[in-house]
C-alpha cells in the first residue's frame, strides 16, 4: 500500500512538470513559425520589384532609373538609331526582351479572338491590346490566350495593355489594371502604357478623370515595384510631354508607342527616344491613318516607290514597310483580320538596301 501511495504521489507531482514542458514546446513551435514568417517577409521586401525575373523574356532590371541624368547624351546629341532589320528580339533599357514584330488588336471587334489565335499559330509572341472598349476587346484577347494555353506558355508571350485616360488617378488606375488582368487571364503584364496624356472630348466625352497622368504614373510605379508590371511606357505622348515625364518619373518609361509610317515618320519623337534609351513602337505603319482622315486610297501601300522597292526585293509592299520601320529602329505591331495577311506580316522577311531606306525616308511628309 505504501508503494502504491508513493507512485500515486509521484504521478501527481509529474503532471505540472509535463504541462510546463508541453507549454514550452508549444511556445518553441510558435516562435519558430514567427521567425520563419519574418524571414519570408524580409526576403519579399528585399526582392520587391523583382519577383518575376527568371522568366524567359529576360532577367529584368536591377534598379530603378535615377532621376537625372537619364542619358549620356542629354546634351542633345542624338544616339544613332539601332537597325532592327535582322533582329527578332530587342532588349529594352530595363532588361526585359520584346519581339520586334507584334500583333496589334485595335479595331478587330468580334473577330479579335480568332485573329489573335491565328497570330499565335503563325508565330507571334507579342500581343498589343488596350482598355479602350471602342477599339479593343481585351476579353477576347484573354479568351484566345486561354484557348492556346496548353500549347503556348504565358511566359513566352509579351503582353501589352494601355490605360484609358478616363481612368487617370491613383486608385482608379490600380482598379482598372486589375480589370485588365482579369480580362486577359493573366497575373502580370509585360508592358503597361498610358494610352494618351490627356482626356480629350473625343476620348472621354463630358466625363472627367479623377486624377492626372502623374497620379497614374505613381500607381504604375507601385505596381511595377510589386512585380505586377514588368515594364512601363506611354503612348501618344509628344516630345515635350515625354520630357516632362522623364523629369517626373522614379521608374522611367522604356517604351513609347506612337503613329509612324513612311509618309509621316515622327522623326523628332524617334530621335528623343533614341537619345533617352526608350524603344519606339510604331502603330499604323501601313498608312491606315490616312484612310481614317479621309484619303480615298492608302498612300503608303499604294505608293509607286514602295511598290517598286518591294518588287525589286521580292516582297510585298507591307513587307517592305515593316523592313523600313525596322531599319529606323522601330518595333511594329501590324494588325489584320485575314489569316494569310497575319501570317505574311510576321513570316515574310524582306531585306532593303541602304539606298532603299533613304528613298523611302524621302517620302516623309511628302505624301507621294
Amino acid at each position: 500500500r505504501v508503494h502504491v501511495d508513493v507512485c500515486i504521489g509521484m504521478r501527481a507531482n509529474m503532471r505540472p512538470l509535463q504541462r510546463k514542458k508541453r507549454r514550452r514546446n508549444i511556445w518553441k513551435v510558435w516562435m519558430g513559425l514567427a521567425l520563419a514568417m519574418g524571414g519570408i517577409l524580409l526576403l519579399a521586401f528585399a526582392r520587391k520589384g523583382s519577383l518575376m525575373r527568371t522568366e524567359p523574356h529576360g532577367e529584368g532590371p536591377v534598379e530603378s532609373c535615377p532621376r537625372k541624368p537619364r542619358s549620356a547624351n542629354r546634351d542633345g546629341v542624338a544616339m544613332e538609331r539601332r537597325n532592327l532589320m535582322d533582329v527578332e528580339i530587342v532588349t529594352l533599357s530595363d532588361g526585359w526582351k520584346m519581339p520586334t514584330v507584334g500583333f496589334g488588336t485595335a479595331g478587330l471587334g468580334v473577330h479579335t479572338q480568332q485573329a489573335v489565335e491565328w497570330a499565335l499559330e503563325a508565330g507571334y509572341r507579342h500581343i498589343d491590346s488596350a482598355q479602350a472598349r471602342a477599339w479593343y476587346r481585351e476579353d477576347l484577347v484573354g479568351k484566345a490566350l486561354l484557348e492556346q494555353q496548353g500549347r503556348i506558355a504565358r511566359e513566352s508571350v509579351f503582353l501589352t495593355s494601355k490605360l484609358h485616360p478616363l481612368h487617370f488617378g491613383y486608385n482608379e488606375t490600380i482598379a482598372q489594371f486589375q480589370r485588365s488582368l482579369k480580362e486577359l487571364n493573366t497575373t502580370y503584364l509585360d508592358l503597361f502604357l498610358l494610352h494618351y496624356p490627356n482626356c480629350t472630348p473625343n476620348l472621354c466625352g463630358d466625363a472627367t478623370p479623377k486624377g492626372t497622368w502623374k497620379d497614374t504614373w505613381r500607381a504604375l510605379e507601385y505596381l511595377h515595384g510589386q512585380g505586377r508590371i514588368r515594364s512601363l511606357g506611354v503612348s501618344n505622348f509628344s516630345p515635350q510631354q515625354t520630357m516632362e515625364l522623364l523629369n517626373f518619373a522614379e521608374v522611367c518609361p522604356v517604351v513609347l508607342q506612337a503613329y509612324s509610317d513612311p509618309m509621316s515618320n515622327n522623326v523628332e519623337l524617334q530621335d528623343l527616344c533614341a537619345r533617352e534609351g526608350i524603344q519606339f513602337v510604331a502603330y499604323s505603319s501601313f498608312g491606315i491613318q490616312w484612310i481614317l482622315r479621309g484619303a480615298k486610297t492608302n498612300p503608303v501601300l499604294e505608293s509607286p516607290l514602295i511598290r517598286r522597292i518591294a518588287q525589286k526585293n521580292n516582297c510585298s509592299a507591307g513587307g517592305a514597310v515593316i523592313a523600313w520601320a525596322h531599319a529606323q529602329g522601330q518595333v511594329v505591331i501590324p494588325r489584320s483580320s485575314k489569316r494569310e495577311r497575319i501570317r505574311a506580316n510576321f513570316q515574310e522577311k524582306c531585306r532593303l538596301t541602304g539606298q532603299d531606306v533613304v528613298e523611302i525616308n524621302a517620302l516623309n511628309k511628302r505624301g507621294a
Side-chain angles (χ1 to χ4, degrees):
R1 178 182 177 92
V2 172
H3 175 73
V4 172
D5 289 343
V6 169
C7 290
I8 292 172
M10 290 178 64
R11 289 195 189 100
N13 291 330
M14 289 176 64
R15 283 176 189 140
L17 294 174
Q18 290 172 340
R19 284 196 292 267
K20 287 181 181 179
K21 187 176 181 180
R22 189 179 298 113
R23 282 197 296 268
R24 281 199 300 270
N25 290 337
I26 292 172
W27 175 249
K28 288 179 180 178
V29 170
W30 279 108
M31 285 296 292
L33 289 173
L35 288 171
M37 290 299 295
I40 291 170
L41 289 173
L42 285 172
L43 180 61
F45 181 77
R47 297 185 64 194
K48 183 180 179 182
S50 59
L51 301 179
M52 301 182 300
R53 303 303 185 204
T54 59
E55 271 79 356
H57 272 302
E59 295 182 358
V62 295
E63 61 181 13
S64 294
C65 176
R67 282 179 177 261
K68 292 179 182 179
R70 288 191 172 77
S71 170
N73 295 302
R74 199 61 181 272
D75 57 0
V77 179
M79 293 171 61
E80 184 179 350
R81 296 185 210 157
R82 183 184 178 189
N83 188 327
L84 301 179
M85 202 182 303
D86 295 318
V87 179
E88 294 184 357
I89 302 286
V90 66
T91 301
L92 303 175
S93 61
D94 63 359
W96 295 110
K97 298 181 184 298
M98 168 189 273
T100 56
V101 179
F103 183 67
T105 60
L108 295 177
V110 296
H111 304 292
T112 299
Q113 181 178 348
Q114 181 64 82
V116 171
E117 288 185 28
W118 284 338
L120 292 170
E121 289 170 3
Y124 290 83
R125 293 298 181 267
H126 174 181
I127 306 296
D128 181 88
S129 188
Q131 294 177 354
R133 197 57 172 236
W135 277 90
Y136 294 85
R137 290 292 303 273
E138 283 197 327
D139 58 326
L140 298 183
V141 173
K143 287 182 179 180
L145 292 171
L146 194 62
E147 188 69 25
Q148 297 290 321
Q149 196 173 48
R151 191 176 67 87
I152 301 172
R154 165 65 186 93
E155 292 79 13
S156 68
V157 179
F158 189 98
L159 188 57
T160 300
S161 185
K162 312 177 196 74
L163 182 81
H164 195 289
L166 181 60
H167 304 305
F168 282 169
Y170 191 95
N171 293 330
E172 186 73 3
T173 294
I174 291 176
Q176 291 300 315
F177 174 77
Q178 297 285 6
R179 184 177 71 84
S180 278
L181 291 187
K182 183 177 180 181
E183 291 204 332
L184 292 168
N185 289 307
T186 186
T187 58
Y188 71 96
L189 286 177
D190 297 275
L191 176 64
F192 199 58
L193 309 176
L194 303 186
H195 205 159
Y196 290 89
N198 300 307
C199 205
T200 63
N202 287 340
L203 293 171
C204 305
D206 296 328
T208 303
K210 296 179 180 178
T212 67
W213 66 256
K214 290 185 177 181
D215 301 320
T216 284
W217 194 260
R218 288 291 181 248
L220 297 189
E221 289 176 332
Y222 167 76
L223 293 167
H224 176 271
Q226 295 293 309
R228 312 290 297 283
I229 305 172
R230 289 178 169 178
S231 299
L232 303 183
V234 293
S235 176
N236 298 304
F237 271 49
S238 70
Q240 294 74 25
Q241 290 163 335
T242 303
M243 286 307 303
E244 185 178 0
L245 171 60
L246 287 171
N247 289 322
F248 170 79
E250 294 179 1
V251 178
C252 289
V254 298
V255 168
L256 192 153
Q257 188 178 119
Y259 162 49
S260 176
D261 69 31
M263 308 293 183
S264 186
N265 198 348
N266 221 333
V267 175
E268 182 184 0
L269 196 55
Q270 287 193 73
D271 286 344
L272 172 62
C273 287
R275 189 166 64 245
E276 297 294 340
I278 300 172
Q279 178 59 54
F280 187 93
V281 176
Y283 66 78
S284 297
S285 304
F286 291 160
I288 188 62
Q289 293 292 325
W290 296 94
I291 300 296
L292 296 176
R293 294 171 185 172
K296 293 182 180 179
T297 59
N298 186 324
V300 173
L301 296 182
E302 297 297 328
S303 165
L305 173 66
I306 292 176
R307 283 175 169 264
R308 176 176 61 78
I309 289 174
Q311 184 176 18
K312 183 191 74 168
N313 292 288
N314 297 313
C315 56
S316 67
V321 170
I322 289 176
W324 165 82
H326 281 164
Q328 309 300 303
Q330 301 177 6
V331 169
V332 295
I333 47 172
R335 62 186 173 96
S336 178
S337 59
K338 298 178 180 178
R339 189 172 194 173
E340 290 305 313
R341 189 69 256 159
I342 291 170
R343 182 184 292 111
N345 287 340
F346 182 77
Q347 296 180 356
E348 185 178 16
K349 304 301 179 185
C350 184
R351 283 200 53 79
L352 304 183
T353 66
Q355 183 59 35
D356 293 336
V357 174
V358 168
E359 291 182 18
I360 295 176
N361 281 340
L363 295 174
N364 186 39
K365 299 188 182 301
R366 204 174 83 190

